[in-house]
Amino acid sequence: MQWSTLIVFLVLFVFVTVLGFIAAHWRKGDLNQLHEWGLGGRRFGTLVTWFLMGGDLYTAYTFIAVPALVFGAGAIGFFAVPYTIVAYPIVFAVLPRLWYVAHKHNYVTGADFVRGRYDSPLLALLVALTGILATMPYIALQLVGMEVVISALGFPMSGWAADLPLLTAFVVLAAFTYTSGLRAPALIAIVKDTLVYITVIAAVVIIPMQLGGFGKIFAAVPPAKVLLAVPTGQSLGMYSAFATLALGSALALFVYPHVLTGVLAARNPRTLTRNMAFLPAYSLVLGLLALLGFMALAAGVDKVPQYAPFFKQYANNFAVPALLMHSFPGWFVGVGFAAIVIGALVPAAIMSIAASNLWTRSIYRAYINPKCTEAQEASQAKLASLVVKFGALVFVLVMPATYAIQFQLLGGIWIIQILPALVFGLYTRWFDRYALALGWLAGMSVGTAIAAHLKFASSIYPLHAFGYAIPGYAALYSLILNIVIAVILTVVLRLLGVTGGQDQTLPGDYHAVRSA
Amino acid sequence: MTTSHSPSGIHPRLWWRLLLLVPIVATLWVPWYNHLEPTFIGIPFLYWYLLLWVPLSSVCSAVVYFKTRDLA
């Protein structure tokens, strides 16, 4: 450990902690109301929304997990770039409708919408539970990212003292989320992005110069890792895996509770659509960070003796921290590490807020205390944000973490199952609520079974069809099953004369008032 | 400005949204870009092609935004 690294890191960390508590006073509102605590009063403009959604989407996933996959497995890890490219146009086209209808009916979560649209507390409950469950491994990924970096700062890696730094970060996160709500991560996101951009630009300029240019970097990578394996006679191989990982992740992304929170906290839908043109700036950062995986290979950081114990403990996830330490002076490593840890804190805060909005609106108020006051609602949400984070800790402890990205991919398998109810629901009431619930059940069961079958160490399932093996992301396969079942059962239930319940929303609620 | 609706109820200018499909198809059809050559400053095609689509997708989104913003 270098003292300069530790000091720079701690100064930045203390700074954002203070900022997190000060945020309670920013654009002041009554934090005892759920939409103030959990949606920042729905007043965020284009720039804050950009920082907030960037803070949402670019996380320890970007800094640790994706480069780790590139480092360990090569080109397949680059699926994250098409993933983010594909995600934005979909968000652009779909989510403004959610914003309008949510604003009109004061929906705080996706589950609120589903409940109103389908007149179905059951379906809303399923959507809420799925959201809370899927958020946990995603927060777990953030915790793993923080853990890796904190250990690299030189704290002990075993014994009770090893847990202390992560616990500190965890308590700080929990405390400022509790007091300031969504305002805290929104404000910290601005600092985070500044640090991230500084680190990334320095890394992609300086490290390739040190290594003798991109040509040399790619020459040092084993050829099998540079390109995707070409399909053979019997299998589509990495082609289908790559494309389905990208598409499945993109579809999963925009039904995550924390993404919907970012959407609903925007001042107006134009704020959102404008952002869809600006947000790809983050995708560029993500792509450049992914290349760090190859740079770490070329630099041979896994063969440096002093990093060996870290690679043993954290496997490929240590690639980026090792590369930073290998390439930069101590103080700048502090900046980079602070970027990673703060970049994990921000989304962890937003995710836990989103999950607790779900708990409060769709479970607590719907099933436990329907007559609760606004203040009770907000205090429930604050407590729930703590519980969700502890749930995430459990995932860290029980899941293997050779590739941290598995946490996020597992979350994707779960969250994508609410897509039919939520997204199709924005366009049509054709689907029957019970058919959607059973489709969800099928998708959840099969998706989880596949993940368990792969021992939670992979999310690529080799589907056999028409004499081919088509390896693909389990989330996409289970979603297809989900949709097929929902369609078939809707037809069957209609034929049996089952009626659909009362739709709270009107067609005009889904867009701006138009002049005729 | 007239906001005439077609019989289907979809405003003609909303067809601009089809432009959003272009980056999706271009980045998901792997055989188009799983090559080493041509390289760019030493970076294999696969990587710079996908990175290039980041700004291009921004352009697509921006065009759709400006063409349809009054329709939101």
Side-chain angles (χ1 to χ4, degrees):
Chain A
M1 170 182 56
Q2 283 194 311
W3 285 106
S4 53
T5 306
L6 189 61
I7 290 165
V8 171
F9 176 86
L10 286 178
V11 166
L12 289 168
F13 188 78
V14 169
F15 174 63
V16 297
T17 305
V18 173
L19 209 56
F21 288 106
I22 289 176
H25 303 282
W26 180 43
R27 299 184 177 191
K28 199 150 178 65
D30 179 4
L31 290 172
N32 288 320
Q33 295 186 355
L34 188 58
H35 76 105
E36 283 291 345
W37 181 82
L39 287 183
R42 298 187 204 254
R43 279 197 300 273
F44 292 144
T46 305
L47 198 64
V48 179
T49 301
W50 186 73
F51 280 120
L52 189 64
M53 293 197 75
D56 261 9
L57 309 182
Y58 297 96
T59 67
Y61 175 82
T62 326
F63 309 110
I64 299 289
V66 169
L69 188 60
V70 170
F71 177 80
I76 187 81
F78 222 66
F79 85 85
V81 174
Y83 149 43
T84 55
I85 292 174
V86 166
Y88 293 124
I90 301 177
V91 173
F92 189 119
V94 174
L95 290 185
R97 289 178 77 84
L98 180 68
W99 190 95
Y100 280 113
V101 73
H103 206 246
K104 167 102 188 178
H105 295 276
N106 192 25
Y107 298 144
V108 175
T109 66
D112 281 355
F113 162 69
V114 166
R115 184 191 175 93
R117 178 66 147 164
Y118 294 99
D119 191 11
S120 175
L122 170 72
L123 203 53
L125 178 68
L126 297 181
V127 168
L129 286 175
T130 313
I132 295 168
L133 178 70
T135 297
M136 288 181 192
Y138 210 164
I139 297 177
L141 167 60
Q142 312 307 325
L143 296 178
V144 170
M146 285 193 251
E147 194 185 5
V148 171
V149 168
I150 289 171
S151 78
L153 283 170
F155 292 100
M157 282 194 292
S158 56
W160 66 271
D163 298 327
L164 218 52
L166 183 63
L167 211 63
T168 311
F170 185 80
V171 168
V172 164
L173 164 69
F176 72 61
T177 313
Y178 187 98
T179 52
S180 306
L182 193 62
R183 284 172 171 80
L187 199 56
I188 296 175
I190 299 169
V191 180
K192 173 209 138 190
D193 283 3
T194 312
L195 294 176
V196 167
Y197 277 100
I198 292 172
T199 309
V200 171
I201 291 167
V204 298
V205 172
I206 294 171
I207 299 175
M209 275 169 27
Q210 289 176 347
L211 296 172
F214 279 103
K216 283 213 170 129
I217 292 170
F218 279 97
V221 175
K225 283 186 174 173
V226 176
L227 289 181
L228 297 163
V230 176
T232 61
Q234 293 83 40
S235 170
L236 290 181
M238 301 232 295
Y239 279 31
S240 55
F242 189 87
T244 54
L245 277 171
L247 183 61
S249 300
L251 292 175
L253 173 77
F254 79 128
V255 286
Y256 262 113
H258 61 278
V259 176
L260 299 182
T261 298
V263 166
L264 296 182
R267 188 190 298 146
N268 59 48
R270 225 179 267 183
T271 308
L272 292 175
T273 45
R274 217 179 280 149
N275 256 293
M276 292 309 127
F278 298 140
L279 277 166
Y282 287 103
S283 307
L284 210 54
V285 173
L286 178 138
L288 296 173
L289 277 161
L291 291 178
L292 292 187
F294 284 139
M295 295 179 206
L297 266 182
V301 289
D302 50 336
K303 295 177 190 74
V304 177
Q306 68 188 101
Y307 302 146
F310 296 103
F311 275 103
K312 190 159 175 278
Q313 178 120 358
Y314 302 112
N316 302 301
N317 303 321
F318 196 67
V320 165
L323 182 67
L324 293 179
M325 289 197 287
H326 187 72
S327 313
F328 289 116
W331 67 271
F332 194 78
V333 176
V335 174
F337 281 8
I340 297 175
V341 169
I342 298 164
L345 279 176
V346 169
I350 302 172
M351 287 169 194
S352 63
I353 288 168
S356 48
N357 287 347
L358 278 174
W359 159 261
T360 307
R361 268 300 165 89
S362 307
I363 299 175
Y364 176 71
R365 203 170 86 169
Y367 286 94
I368 299 172
N369 184 4
K371 294 192 180 66
C372 64
T373 63
E374 282 192 329
Q376 277 175 324
E377 212 178 40
S379 75
Q380 270 294 315
K382 291 175 186 178
L383 284 175
S385 74
L386 300 180
V387 175
V388 172
K389 289 191 206 85
F390 280 104
L393 267 185
V394 173
F395 276 90
V396 177
L397 297 175
V398 301
M399 264 181 66
T402 321
Y403 289 115
I405 205 162
Q406 287 308 327
F407 287 105
Q408 193 261 358
L409 291 174
L410 177 65
I413 292 173
W414 287 333
I415 199 69
I416 206 169
Q417 308 306 336
I418 67 171
L419 186 141
L422 192 66
V423 176
F424 296 169
L426 287 171
Y427 291 90
T428 174
R429 256 307 300 267
W430 181 81
F431 284 95
D432 181 87
R433 49 195 168 164
Y434 300 108
L436 284 169
L438 289 166
W440 172 90
L441 184 66
M444 278 302 266
S445 318
V446 169
T448 310
I450 292 175
H453 172 76
L454 299 168
K455 300 194 165 49
F456 298 102
S458 166
S459 299
I460 300 295
Y461 180 72
L463 185 76
H464 288 271
F466 315 113
Y468 277 104
I470 310 172
Y473 183 18
L476 207 61
Y477 286 155
S478 49
L479 173 67
I480 293 169
L481 177 75
N482 178 339
I483 295 171
V484 168
I485 293 200
V487 169
I488 293 174
L489 288 180
T490 297
V491 173
V492 170
L493 289 169
R494 283 289 136 73
L495 291 174
L496 293 173
V498 175
T499 53
Q502 188 67 42
D503 187 354
Q504 236 184 45
T505 68
L506 300 167
D509 296 348
Y510 293 86
H511 46 71
V513 180
R514 288 178 193 160
S515 52
Chain B
M1 185 185 297
T2 57
T3 51
S4 60
H5 288 250
S6 62
S8 64
I10 295 171
H11 192 282
R13 266 185 294 138
L14 286 178
W15 291 108
W16 277 101
R17 290 196 173 177
L18 288 178
L19 198 59
L20 296 174
L21 285 175
V22 174
I24 298 180
V25 176
T27 57
L28 289 185
W29 193 252
V30 182
W32 283 346
Y33 55 78
N34 190 35
H35 317 293
L36 285 175
E37 301 289 338
T39 60
F40 170 73
I41 57 166
I43 303 175
F45 184 69
L46 167 75
Y47 299 92
W48 70 258
Y49 171 87
L50 287 175
L51 286 174
L52 184 65
W53 268 104
V54 173
L56 291 181
S57 72
S58 263
V59 171
C60 292
S61 292
V63 169
V64 175
Y65 171 73
F66 285 116
K67 290 289 178 187
T68 64
R69 62 177 162 174
D70 55 322
L71 307 171

